[in-house]
Amino acid sequence: MTGVVTDPGDGSVGGLGEWQPAPRVRGFGPSVFSEMTGLAQRTGAINLGQGFPDTDGPDALLKFATDAIGSGRNQYPPAPGLPELRAGVADHRARHGFGPRYRPEDGEVVITTGATEAIAAAVLAYCDRGDRLLAFDPCYDSYAAVARLAGAELAAVPLAVDGDGFALDVDALRTAAASARARVLLLNTPHNPTGKVFTRSELDAIASVCRESGLVVVTDEVYEHLVYDGRVHETIAGLPGMRERTVVISSAGKTFSVTGWKVGWACGPAQLITPLLSAKQFLTFGSGTPLQDAVARVLASGADCDAWIHGLRSSLQQRRDLLRAGLERAGLRTFRAEGGYFVQADVRSWGYEDDVTFCRDLPGRAGVVAVPSSAFYQGRDAPRWLARFAFCKREEVLRKAVAGLEAAGGGRGGN
Ligand code: PMP
Ligand code: GLN
């Protein structure tokens, strides 16, 4: 037989010696989420690290998916996504008052493999080597990584701690946007990890900087439905002069508690969506036909779909209250979580100086896993004393976590 290699055992087969991968991926270890989920699995601690719900999405959605698989919807979708899903996304956004109406028939909506792929395709399509991608600091971990894959540079504009929240610094944004290399602002509201929901007046200020400096805005709104205490989600795409320069990204993962499905989308003017699709078609081409079919059907169910989302939002708000109050009782100062899945706590309340040590100790001390928020920060002067806890878990799980935290906080002499 030809082609069979027998290893002579001298290291000449099976190893690449000094070989190195391309610099663009060097230093990309497993993400902080994989690391923290691994820690929870090894220690048996409660995983309040990685943001995924521990309950399923709507029964109807799950059934739509199995029906689609059973009825042969198992071949490639069109690269831009199933037409019925693209139309469903546009209708759903319009029904919820999420910014301008998009026309899928004119190439304004594309379905992606989660929001992650939409973000990556946008950055690859809009940023060249040496360009600057602006983002608020802290930011979701994939932003800096895709900037690097594109050869671009992430310019981080601090969101400073302000009481129990995080404040926009418009002047700092304006200064960063003034660089001739600045091309894109990658915005995120509701924001991960801070839980900040940008207000209309903050978005007005950001929009005016973007218009003045000619920036394109990519806005990651995966938590658009998950805003609390009567807040209303606003998208920058709906502000005057912004439709033509903005791509809005969202995903079924958060809205329907199916983070593993990775069905996302991007909406914007064809001038921005066409190049995004050009990049996307060579990343994945298309994905998950039966899952796209199922999401299209659930969106088309209108009132049922909206009732489910409404229930999720109010239950998450209660679970946020439960976790935040528990963290406070455990002696940890917490921050407002206006939207999304997470609440942050100040680890200095327990005498820690850095979040990594706190998170490393936490499984042993409290039986809980959290994420060190320094993983989301780019700036040198960024706080290293925040830990992020996910509240998208069942109430009994959160109660158990809180009991562990309170016991540990008491032991440490917390408040
Ligand atoms: N953006 C933000 C802010 C997120 O928190 C996440 C992960 N939940 C994503 C994007 C990725 O979304 P998806 O799982 O749809 O790729
Ligand atoms: N978005 C999730 C979080 O912030 C994690 C997603 C992932 O693991 N890539 O926890």
Side-chain angles (χ1 to χ4, degrees), residues 33 36-37 40 45-52 54 322-323 327 341-343 359 362 366-372 387-394 397-402 405:
F33 311 120
M36 291 300 142
T37 291
I46 297 171
N47 189 357
L48 303 189
Q50 194 175 24
F52 62 88
D54 57 359
L322 192 166
L323 179 60
L327 288 164
Y341 274 175
F342 310 106
V343 61
C359 289
L362 202 59
V368 172
V369 164
V371 166
R388 192 196 77 171
F389 294 80
F391 53 81
C392 51
K393 310 291 174 179
R394 280 167 292 138
V397 172
L398 294 174
R399 285 193 192 286
K400 203 169 156 205
V402 162
L405 288 160

Side-chain angles (χ1 to χ4, degrees), residues 304-321:
D304 285 351
C305 162
D306 294 350
W308 195 88
I309 295 171
H310 181 79
L312 175 65
R313 179 169 47 234
S314 44
S315 123
L316 275 170
Q317 179 176 314
Q318 281 170 19
R319 288 181 275 160
R320 175 210 57 185
D321 291 345

